[in-house]
Amino acid sequence: IEWNQPEIDGGMFAMTLLYAIAFLGYGATALNWGVHPRQDAALRRILRIPTDERVLVLVAAGELKDEFRQAGSWRLNSDSYFSVVD
């Protein structure tokens, strides 16, 4: 048994969903659902989520403006973290 399989499968599904939304020309972002159990219970009540299902991620999606700003971050050159071992 793989104990974290829901997170693995859910993460791959969320990634594919985000790619599909982008392919359709919309913007989307994943919102991690790592919250206190009380917050999780509140969301479950509001959305009537069964107890045998888990919330792993929320996805915000919508139309993009013609122009917008987004956050960026400095990246290392790939040579700094990849190496070829002969």
Side-chain angles (χ1 to χ4, degrees):
I1 294 177
E2 182 67 51
W3 292 106
N4 59 351
Q5 197 65 44
E7 288 85 358
I8 294 168
D9 291 346
M12 291 190 320
F13 174 81
M15 178 183 66
T16 304
L17 177 63
L18 291 169
Y19 285 149
I21 292 168
F23 177 79
L24 294 173
Y26 296 96
T29 190
L31 307 167
N32 184 28
W33 189 245
V35 298
H36 191 277
R38 283 191 301 255
Q39 291 171 292
D40 187 69
L43 181 71
R44 290 173 167 288
R45 276 192 307 278
I46 293 166
L47 298 180
R48 296 185 177 107
I49 297 171
T51 57
D52 63 338
E53 295 179 7
R54 292 179 56 189
V55 178
L56 299 175
V57 63
L58 304 177
V59 174
E63 294 182 7
L64 295 171
K65 296 180 180 181
D66 291 333
E67 291 186 29
F68 56 91
R69 293 169 43 152
Q70 67 184 43
S73 60
W74 176 78
R75 299 284 188 239
L76 296 171
N77 183 307
S78 61
D79 293 338
S80 66
Y81 50 89
F82 284 114
S83 62
V84 177
V85 179
D86 291 326

